[in-house]
Each structure stands twice: as structure tokens, then as C-alpha cells.
Amino acid sequence: MASSTSRLPRRRLHAAVGKPRATTFTPLGLSRQGMSAAAVILSVTLTGCAGTGAESGHGVRSPTPGRGGVSASASGAPSTTQAVRGPTPTESEASAAPVPAQLSGLGPRTLADIPGNARQVVLVSGRGRNSSASQVVLYLRTGAGWEPGATWPAHNALRGWTDDHHAGDLRSPIGVFTLTDTGGLLADPGSKLPYDQSRGFTIAGTGFEGESLAGSFDYVVAINYNHKVGTSPLDWTRPLGADKGGGIWLHVDHGGPTHGCVSLAQEHMKQLLRTLDPDQHPVIVMGDAESLQR
């Protein structure tokens, strides 16, 4: 990655829509359909996510990703994996309570960074500044306010969070970022955002706690931190320069801390992919709980 001397503005929203597309980096000797499994297994020595350093250097990509079409569905309503049952009297009373006008746990600075047209927010709240444990809630904006969906456990980077992310710091970037591009090793599970199925999402090795990383990139949502909007999550372009890291994704949890990404159980990743809707202009709000209250 090339270095950058500019400091990333705190909590900057990266959504470079409409900018000319940069030339895609293609490793020599790789073809779109002829990648061998050995050629696309990501090195555990690179700097990035998934607990191996692979995610700032997911870097190996198919020359021309096969992007899926964008659905025009405007459903966007979050679903849950809980069994359907009749509400108790207490739950019935709770359901009648007014939907909060603002997102829970966010302070004025954080709220100000959320675009006015965003109607879906993936809220990632870290347990602590230096903790790798977090939780994720998908919110849908309705006429009454922000309606929360299910709460899911998640992992973030090994050393927690930072306002000034750099490659190799083992911290996840704090901020508000758009979500526009998805992909994975497995077939599209029904994503409404463009989906790139590629063998470039193959990964091997072990994480920080000795857990297997196989399958971590089965499903991926690119977080638009230092990512070129409108390209595959595998795209190597780093608008802020390589020193500011990149390849920050939502991906399948492997049971341990990441290098910078946010990871969810596979069933929750599939659910998220089916729910995020380009017509709802989804964004992710991520950071430790204390920082998000600013």
C-alpha cells in the first residue's frame, strides 16, 4: 500500500460516489476463472482483518469481479432468528411504546455524521475502547423514528478502537461509513447490494486465539473506510493511501478478534445481506460505546 501524509478527519464519512473509477490492480498470472486455490489463499503476514492480517491486504482479487445486480426492493425491514411466539402482556405494553426518535447511545457529534437520507443503520457498539467484544443492532428508520431489530454479538479488532486508524494498528476505525458493496466465497444469498462471488475471498490459517479462519470471508460487506465505492470488497484502491489501512469489512465470525473488521455469525451475515437495501442508503455507525456518545 502507498503511504499517506494526510490525517484522516475524525469521523469522516467516506462515500466517494461519482468519482472516476481507478484502474483495478490485477496480480500477474491470475485470471478470473483460472485462480487456483493456492494462489488465492490470503497470506497470514499481511495487515488487515480476520485475525491474520489478511483484511488490509485482502488484495488478491479476480481481474473483473462478477458483480450481481441491485434489487429495487425497498423492504429493508430487519428480521430475526428467534422463534415466533405470542407476546406476553409485558411485551404487548412494550410494543406500544413510542419508537425512539434518535438512535440509542449516540451523542450529537455521532448523530450529525449520519446522512439525512440514511434509513438503515448498522450500529456496532464496542464493549470498551480496548476491547474486541461488541454488539450489532440493525435499525430501520420509520415515520415514527428508529426501530431496532435483533441484537447480535460480534467481534472487532484485537486492540479495540481508534479515531485515527493506520495499517497494522490492530484497532477498528471509529466513525460513520456507507455500505454499498458486498461479496464472498459462497454464492449470493440474496443480497440487495451488488455482490461479487470470487475465489479471491478464500482464506486459511489461524486467528489470534488459534481458531481456524476458514470460511471467514464466505460472506462480506465492505465498510467504506478507505474503500473505493462501487467496487468489489477485494478492490485494492485506497483513496486515503495505504498507510491508512483498508479492507475493513463486516464478515463471518471465526470465534476471535479481528485485525480491524467487524465479524458476525454466518446466519447473521446472511440475514444482513438480505436486509441491506440501496434504496434505504444504509450506513454503519461503529466504535466503542463511550466514543459513540460524543
Side-chain angles (χ1 to χ4, degrees):
M1 301 179 181
S3 64
S4 171
T5 57
S6 61
R7 180 179 177 88
L8 176 66
R10 180 175 289 180
R11 314 181 67 76
R12 178 179 178 184
L13 176 67
H14 303 288
V17 179
K19 291 185 180 180
R21 297 181 64 169
T23 302
T24 301
F25 169 76
T26 305
L28 293 177
L30 296 182
S31 66
R32 178 179 178 182
Q33 300 180 358
M35 286 190 196
S36 68
V40 296
I41 292 179
L42 303 179
S43 169
V44 298
T45 63
L46 297 177
T47 302
C49 227
T52 64
E55 284 155 11
S56 281
H58 309 292
V60 180
R61 65 166 297 184
S62 50
T64 307
R67 306 298 300 266
V70 177
S71 167
S73 170
S75 171
S79 57
T80 72
T81 57
Q82 298 175 353
V84 177
R85 58 178 175 80
T88 66
T90 301
E91 290 171 333
S92 296
E93 293 172 7
S95 65
V99 176
Q102 295 293 355
L103 293 161
S104 176
L106 303 189
R109 286 173 54 186
T110 304
L111 288 169
D113 286 339
I114 299 175
N117 65 351
R119 300 189 66 83
Q120 286 180 328
V121 166
V122 179
L123 177 56
V124 183
S125 181
R127 186 175 297 172
R129 183 78 173 195
N130 301 314
S131 172
S132 63
S134 53
Q135 69 174 23
V136 172
V137 182
L138 177 62
Y139 282 85
L140 175 66
R141 192 176 189 176
T142 68
W146 288 97
E147 186 173 341
T151 299
W152 299 324
H155 280 104
N156 52 269
L158 177 69
R159 294 178 181 167
W161 301 89
T162 180
D163 288 302
D164 186 22
H165 178 68
H166 286 78
D169 64 9
L170 298 182
R171 291 183 179 271
S172 298
I174 299 170
V176 179
F177 310 100
T178 55
L179 301 173
T180 56
D181 306 291
T182 70
L185 181 65
L186 301 183
D188 185 350
S191 175
K192 297 172 183 172
L193 296 172
Y195 188 90
D196 174 23
Q197 182 185 7
S198 170
R199 293 178 64 190
F201 290 100
T202 303
I203 184 170
T206 56
F208 291 110
E209 298 178 356
E211 74 279 12
S212 172
L213 299 177
S216 298
F217 300 158
D218 282 354
Y219 300 113
V220 162
V221 178
I223 295 171
N224 289 341
Y225 168 84
N226 208 14
H227 167 72
K228 182 176 172 59
V229 175
T231 65
S232 165
L234 292 172
D235 190 276
W236 187 249
T237 306
R238 298 290 179 255
L240 301 174
D243 181 61
K244 298 299 294 181
I248 305 298
W249 299 345
L250 285 154
H251 65 69
V252 176
D253 188 71
H254 46 78
T258 72
H259 268 67
C261 296
V262 175
S263 60
L264 294 165
Q266 186 177 71
E267 62 267 27
H268 298 153
M269 278 299 300
K270 291 173 69 174
Q271 195 169 331
L272 187 64
L273 283 166
R274 293 166 179 161
T275 303
L276 294 177
D277 188 338
D279 291 339
Q280 305 297 321
H281 307 285
V283 300
I284 186 169
V285 180
M286 52 192 282
D288 60 286
E290 183 176 354
S291 295
L292 295 178
Q293 292 171 5
R294 295 177 297 196

